[in-house]
């Protein structure tokens, strides 16, 4: 039971899960409730189409778990459902070699901002127990606070750390200062850097009311696969290509701290050649290595000359996210508002959900090709639609495309690759670039 290449024959796979239609029953306005219930129904229909295709190739499917109790996804104070459904297992998990990396029940709770601040201001910078993680957190916090005080300066994390420790007023009155800043934003900056992630820090693994990985854990235990918790390794931003692991710096904090991350990744994977590359956001939305020698990518041709020398790269400039930018702008204003009492009659919200269903769903199906694809094996790949350039390349490499239109991919921000996560593939580790030295 292992995974070394993303095109080896897939044997077992996690598939995500979204909210059922009844989760939206409390929305008073039918102009909002019924479209959201339709999205829920069609999302599960598309999950089932994907599962059927996987089972056609004898792939064992393990679903993430969803509680029947809606309150498990609601804020305990307001009752507003603010926890995302467990749709995208790949964003938080990875099978690398014979180990599986995934969130534990305490995911995202491995630091305390007050303690971090105190250590930053008063601790011995060279203390022997100050590991890479502590150093990264402290310097990240110092940079954030320095930018609050003196925005716009081109100052590094280490320079921020040194500068802030010289501020006696901040040392002596640190509790007063911390009460005057946006604590959630501080934590978000630190967590984004630590966890190599993007967007809100409210992710489905941070739900403490219900653990969605129970079935996955049972499968891993049954098959005697070693599980590693809360190291924040995921194959939405990691490409496994035999002996080579390519980690993506998904946000600017990761780029600023790339040496710290490279040190961590090399320590965790000493038997691999580890590379760091930079493409904004989750890398699987920008590039897909479909089979040995072929990559489908959105942009950035110079990226692949060194990392994948002599491989064919089919570029799809202005595809995917670029084509749906107007919808994404509308989505950013309205996402989640259907849960908030009093918002269900908001004309802008009604327009948003109906515009998505009436206009964008068909547009995406007919014109948008997503590189977020899942290879079943070297000659079969699951994709969301048709693209002439891509399908011509598939023909050259003897690849059969299987179209599963995940209709609400952009509504949920999860493509076919994101909503799955490999558990096991046949085959051992190959070396596609043997001329490279182990770093």
């Amino acid at each position: 039971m292992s995974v070394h290449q993303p095109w080896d024959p897939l044997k077992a796979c996690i598939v995500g899960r979204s909210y059922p239609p009844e989760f939206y029953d409390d929305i008073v306005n039918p102009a909002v409730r019924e479209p959201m219930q339709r999205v829920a129904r069609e999302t599960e229909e598309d999950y089932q189409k994907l599962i059927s295709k996987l089972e056609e190739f004898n792939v064992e499917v393990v679903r993430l778990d969803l509680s029947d109790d809606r309150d498990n996804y609601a804020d305990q104070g307001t009752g507003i459902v603010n926890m995302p459904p467990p749709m995208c297992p790949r964003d938080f998990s990875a099978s690398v070699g014979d180990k599986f990396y995934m969130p534990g029940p305490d995911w995202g709770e491995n630091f305390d901002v007050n303690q971090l601040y105190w250590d930053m201001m008063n601790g011995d910078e060279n203390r022997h127990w100050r590991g890479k993680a502590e150093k990264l957190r402290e310097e990240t916090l110092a940079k954030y606070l320095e930018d609050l005080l003196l925005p716009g300066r081109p100052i590094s994390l280490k320079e921020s750390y040194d500068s802030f420790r010289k501020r006696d007023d901040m040392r002596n009155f640190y509790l007063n200062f911390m009460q005057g800043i946006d604590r959630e934003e501080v934590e978000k900056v630190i967590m984004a850097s630590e966890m190599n992630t993007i967007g809100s820090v409210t992710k489905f693994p941070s739900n403490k009311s219900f653990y969605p990985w129970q079935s996955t854990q049972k499968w891993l235990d049954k098959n005697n696969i070693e599980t590693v918790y809360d190291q924040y390794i995921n194959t939405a931003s990691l490409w496994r290509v035999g002996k080579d692991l390519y980690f993506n710096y998904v946000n600017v904090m990761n780029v600023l701290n790339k040496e710290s991350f490279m040190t961590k990744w090399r320590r965790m994977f000493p038997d691999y050649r580890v590379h760091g590359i930079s493409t904004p956001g989750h890398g699987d939305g920008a590039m897909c290595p479909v089979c040995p020698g072929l990559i489908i990518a959105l942009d950035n041709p110079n990226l692949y000359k060194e990392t994948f020398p002599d491989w064919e790269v089919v570029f799809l400039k202005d595809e995917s996210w670029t084509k749906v930018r107007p919808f994404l702008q509308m989505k950013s204003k309205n996402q989640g508002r259907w849960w908030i009492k009093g918002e269900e009659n908001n004309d802008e919200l009604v327009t948003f959900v109906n515009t998505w269903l009436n206009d964008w769903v068909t547009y995406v199906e007919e014109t948008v090709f997503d590189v977020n694809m899942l290879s079943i094996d070297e000659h079969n790949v699951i994709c969301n639609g048709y693209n002439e350039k891509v399908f011509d390349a598939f023909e050259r490499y003897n690849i059969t495309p299987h179209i599963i239109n995940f209709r609400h991919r952009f509504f949920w921000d999860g493509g076919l690759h994101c909503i799955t996560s490999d558990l096991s593939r046949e085959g051992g580790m190959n070396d596609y670039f043997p001329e490279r030295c182990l770093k």
Side-chain angles (χ1 to χ4, degrees), residues 244-282:
D244 294 86
L245 297 180
Y246 300 88
F247 287 90
N248 184 37
Y249 306 119
V250 300
N251 58 51
V252 68
M253 295 306 300
N254 299 147
V255 176
L256 290 172
N257 288 279
K258 58 185 179 181
E259 291 304 320
S260 296
F261 279 104
M262 286 296 290
T263 298
K264 171 187 174 180
W265 295 327
R266 286 170 177 160
R267 171 177 52 80
M268 292 182 65
F269 303 103
D271 298 327
Y272 292 82
R273 294 185 293 257
V274 176
H275 314 267
I277 62 177
S278 183
T279 182
H282 285 152

Side-chain angles (χ1 to χ4, degrees), residues 2-5 8 242 425-432:
S2 61
V3 178
H4 295 286
Q5 289 86 218
D8 286 342
R425 290 181 180 268
E426 287 183 0
M429 181 192 293
N430 295 325
D431 191 350
Y432 295 93

Side-chain angles (χ1 to χ4, degrees), residues 209-227:
S209 298
F210 186 82
Y211 186 56
W213 303 86
Q214 297 171 53
S215 296
T216 302
Q217 185 61 74
K218 289 178 182 177
W219 189 94
L220 294 167
D221 292 343
K222 176 184 175 182
N223 289 279
N224 298 313
I225 294 178
E226 182 179 349
T227 306

Side-chain angles (χ1 to χ4, degrees), residues 317-376:
K317 188 172 177 58
D318 297 328
E319 267 291 352
S320 193
W321 298 99
T322 301
K323 283 189 172 182
V324 296
R325 186 168 292 140
F327 165 73
L328 297 177
Q329 292 170 346
M330 189 187 306
K331 175 183 172 183
S332 68
K333 296 180 181 179
N334 291 280
Q335 189 172 28
R337 287 169 65 180
W338 41 83
W339 298 116
I340 302 173
K341 187 176 181 179
E343 285 287 330
E344 60 268 11
N345 292 315
N346 184 299
D347 290 340
E348 188 177 47
L349 176 58
V350 174
T351 300
F352 163 67
V353 292
N354 285 285
T355 298
W356 168 252
L357 290 172
N358 294 333
D359 300 333
W360 283 100
V361 170
T362 302
Y363 173 80
V364 169
E365 179 179 4
E366 293 178 350
T367 66
V368 179
F369 188 85
D370 191 5
V371 301
N372 200 273
M373 298 179 284
L374 176 67
S375 291
I376 302 174

Side-chain angles (χ1 to χ4, degrees), residues 194-212:
E194 179 71 17
M195 297 187 297
N196 198 28
T197 188
I198 56 176
S200 168
V201 297
T202 302
K203 309 289 188 182
F204 80 81
S206 59
N207 187 351
K208 306 308 176 194
S209 298
F210 186 82
Y211 186 56

